[in-house]
Amino acid sequence: GDGGPAINGGITPATDSILRSPNIDLGDIGGASLQFAAAVDAVVGDTLEVLVRDAANDALLQTITPFPANFPDDAQWQNLGPFPLSEDTDDKMIYLEFRYVGTDSEYLGFYLDDVKISF
């Protein structure tokens, strides 16, 4: 949500963490896209990727990079996407891995909400 409460806490420097979604059935569906809300407090050198994997064999189907340049550093909620899912995901059971890798700086990190797959 937009304008929500301030984020408190922090991440361990040099963290490498993954949040995995439940399986998502894209059977008989093509042309899907991903949207989500995020609050980010990070620094140049940190990375965030959304890895789209085949639930049948864990194969990597697509990598989405929501912040190709600099991260925001204010931890304000924002809506990201839609990011089109590749044709490799059509008609498959998939899952998402939200992977955040931090540097040696102490920032609040990456917070996720409102994940949505649209067709």
Side-chain angles (χ1 to χ4, degrees), residues 67-108:
F67 298 102
N70 292 340
F71 278 107
D73 60 0
D74 57 7
Q76 296 299 309
W77 285 100
Q78 59 186 300
N79 295 315
L80 300 174
F83 302 103
L85 296 183
S86 75
E87 291 180 5
D88 292 340
T89 66
D90 292 355
D91 303 320
K92 287 193 170 70
M93 181 78 71
I94 65 163
Y95 63 90
L96 307 172
E97 290 180 334
F98 293 85
R99 182 178 185 204
Y100 175 78
V101 180
T103 56
D104 59 358
S105 299
E106 290 189 31
Y107 281 77
L108 296 177

Side-chain angles (χ1 to χ4, degrees), residues 48-65:
L48 171 66
E49 299 174 315
V50 183
L51 308 175
V52 183
R53 295 193 179 270
D54 188 329
N57 58 16
D58 300 319
L60 179 61
L61 302 174
Q62 181 179 1
T63 301
I64 297 168
T65 307

Side-chain angles (χ1 to χ4, degrees), residues 36-50:
F36 57 94
V40 181
D41 181 49
V43 67
V44 172
D46 292 0
T47 59
L48 171 66
E49 299 174 315
V50 183

